[in-house]
Amino acid sequence: MPSAASLPPAPPFTLRARVVSPLGEGGVLDLADGLVEVDDGGRIAAVSTVDDASPETVGSAVDLRPWVVMPGLVDVHAHLPQVPNAGLGYALPLLDWLDRLTFPTERSWADPDLAERLAPAIFRAFAASGTTTVLAYGVVYEAAMDASFSAAEAHGIRAILGKVMMDRLTYDETIEPSTILDRTLRESADLAGRWHGADGGRLGYAVTPRFAVSCTAELLAESAALARDLGCWWQSHVSEDRGEIAEVARLFPEARDYVDVYDRAGALGPRSVLAHAIHLSAREEARLAETGTPVAHCPTSNLFIGAGVMPLTERLAAGLAVGLGSDVSGGPELSLFGVMRTGAYAQQALRSLAPERAAMEPDAVEPLAPLDWLRLATLGGARALGLDRVIGSIEVGKEADLILVDPGRTAPLGPELDDADLLVDASLLVSRLIFRAQFDMVRAAWVRGRQLEGPS
Ligand code: GUN
Ligand code: ZN
C-alpha cells in the first residue's frame, strides 16, 4: 500500500496509479496501470500506460497502486462562512433558514480574526473532500474577504471568491443604509484589484450580489457592470424556493420572471454563475441557454432545505452549462461525491414521479450514468467557469489539479475482502466511489502539482 510519506509535495513528479478521467472530446480515459507526468511548472506533461513508457520514467514514478488518480473536483457554488453550520437547519423554508441560522453566522465574520482562524481549516476541509477548485461566496465584510483570500493563497486551492453584496435586508447592522451601494461597489472593486488573477490566475474574484431579494435593481446593474469592467466572474442565486420566487415577483413587478430581473441588470452571460435554477419556466431556461449563462446544480442543498428538484436532464438538453455545487451549508456536506450521489437519487425520484413525462420525452428524463456525474463534477464545473482549457480532466497541457482516491475505503467488506475484479470497468469503479463515498477515501489532492493540506 502507498503511504502518505511517499506522496510528492511539489512538481516535478510522475505518479503511477489507475488513472480515470473524463476527456474534453468526450469519453473516458481509464488506464489500469497508468503514469501521469507533472512538469516543474505544475502542468501535465504526459499521460500513458506503464507499457508505453520508458524504463526510466517508470523507474522514477511514485507508485500509488491500487489507488486511483482522478481530476480534482470543481465546486461551483459554496459559502465559506457557512461551513461551520453544515448539517443544521433541515427543512426550514429558505428565507427563514437565512434569517435564523445563516445571517447570524455570517455576521460573526465582522470580526476578521474569526475569518482568519476559520478560513484555513475551511480550505483544508474542501481539499479533504476532493475539491481542488471552489467558487464561493464570503460575507459582506471586506476585511474577512482579505483574510479568506490570504488563506486560499497560502493553502494552494484554486479559489474564486466574492464579497457578498446586499443593499437591502443586510445583516450588517453597523452600516448606514444610504451608503451601502457605493461602499459595497468600492470594496468589491478594491478586493478584485488585490486578488483577481493572483498567483497566475489561481485566485479569482466573483462580484457577488446575494440574490434579488436582498439587492436593488440598481445594485444588480452596477454589480454586473463592475464584473464586466474588471473581467471578473459574477454570481448570484436564482429560482431556488417558491417563497423566494414570490418575494422576487413582489419586489420586481416590472420583470417578466426571476431570470428577467438579472437580464434587465445586464448580468446574464458566460461569466455569470447562477445557483439552483430549480423552478424555471421554459422561457427562463431558454434565455439562460441563449445568453450562455451557466448554472450551479446543488442537489444536496435542494433536498436538505427542501427547495425542490431541478430537472437536470432537461437543463442539459436545453444546452445549459451545468456544474455541481455543495452549497454548504444549504447543503450539509462539502463532498461533491455526496452531491453526485444525492443528485443521482433525486433524478431517479423525479423520473418516478413523472412517468407520463418519461414516456413522452424519454431523452429528457434518461438518468445520468455515474461517469456522467463525474464529468459534471470535473469538466462540467470547469466549463461553467470558463476554465475547461486549464483544468477539469487529466490531459496533456492542463494544470495538474489531481486527487488520489483509495477505493479500498469504499469496499463493503473492508479492503482485505474486496474483489478488485469487480471494479475493472471504470463505470463500476466510479459508481462505487459515488454511491459508497467515505469521508476518508481522498488520500491526496494537488493543484498545479502542489500538494494541498487536508486529505489524510
Ligand atoms: N439565497 C440567498 N442566499 C442564500 C444562501 O446563502 N444559501 C442558499 N442556499 N440560498 C440563498
Ligand atoms: Zn448558495
Side-chain angles (χ1 to χ4, degrees), residues 77 79 137 237 240 275-276 327:
H77 186 72
H79 296 262
Y137 292 50
H237 298 83
E240 180 177 0
H276 305 301
D327 192 25

Side-chain angles (χ1 to χ4, degrees), residues 347-360:
Q347 293 303 312
Q348 293 280 56
L350 196 61
R351 272 157 51 85
S352 77
L353 291 171
E356 64 295 340
R357 252 189 56 229
M360 278 161 42

Side-chain angles (χ1 to χ4, degrees), residues 125-365:
F126 276 110
S129 305
T131 294
T132 53
T133 295
V134 62
L135 168 63
Y137 292 50
V139 289
V140 298
Y141 308 108
E142 183 180 14
M145 294 317 298
D146 274 316
S148 302
F149 272 112
S150 295
E153 183 181 44
H155 176 257
I157 195 168
R158 195 180 292 275
I160 303 166
L161 311 177
K163 181 190 105 81
V164 171
M165 307 168 94
M166 302 165 74
D167 68 339
R168 62 177 161 212
L169 302 176
T170 179
Y171 52 78
D172 182 359
E173 288 147 351
T174 65
I175 189 165
E176 163 57 37
S178 65
T179 66
I180 293 182
L181 179 64
D182 287 347
R183 182 166 155 186
T184 197
L185 288 165
R186 182 172 26 89
E187 290 178 347
S188 299
D190 290 348
L191 282 161
R194 287 194 285 281
W195 296 106
H196 186 61
D199 193 20
R202 178 170 62 82
L203 302 179
Y205 195 80
V207 177
T208 306
R210 184 171 209 119
F211 67 155
V213 173
S214 54
C215 300
T216 60
E218 195 180 0
L219 173 58
L220 292 172
E222 295 281 345
S223 69
L226 182 67
R228 262 196 312 279
D229 290 349
L230 299 176
C232 296
W233 285 269
W234 185 94
Q235 60 178 343
S236 197
H237 298 83
V238 75
S239 195
E240 180 177 0
D241 151 289
R242 301 248 185 227
E244 168 214 19
I245 295 166
E247 186 61 5
V248 171
R250 191 182 70 79
L251 291 167
F252 295 86
E254 69 287 2
R256 298 164 71 160
D257 46 44
Y258 202 154
V259 164
D260 194 43
V261 172
Y262 297 143
D263 205 354
R264 285 164 175 259
L268 303 184
R271 294 283 274 180
S272 297
V273 179
L274 289 176
H276 305 301
I278 299 174
H279 309 285
L280 300 182
S281 66
R283 194 208 78 81
E284 289 177 294
E285 182 184 71
R287 186 64 187 142
L288 292 183
E290 189 178 35
T291 54
T293 308
V295 160
H297 176 40
C298 308
T300 41
S301 168
N302 301 156
L303 292 183
F304 186 76
I305 290 183
V309 178
M310 189 189 86
L312 173 61
T313 44
E314 218 176 276
R315 300 279 181 268
L316 293 171
L320 295 190
V322 178
L324 297 181
S326 64
D327 192 25
V328 268
S329 61
E333 55 185 321
L334 280 73
S335 170
L336 286 190
F337 287 102
V339 171
M340 292 183 249
R341 179 177 61 243
T342 305
Y345 288 147
Q347 293 303 312
Q348 293 280 56
L350 196 61
R351 272 157 51 85
S352 77
L353 291 171
E356 64 295 340
R357 252 189 56 229
M360 278 161 42
E361 311 171 60
D363 289 349
V365 290

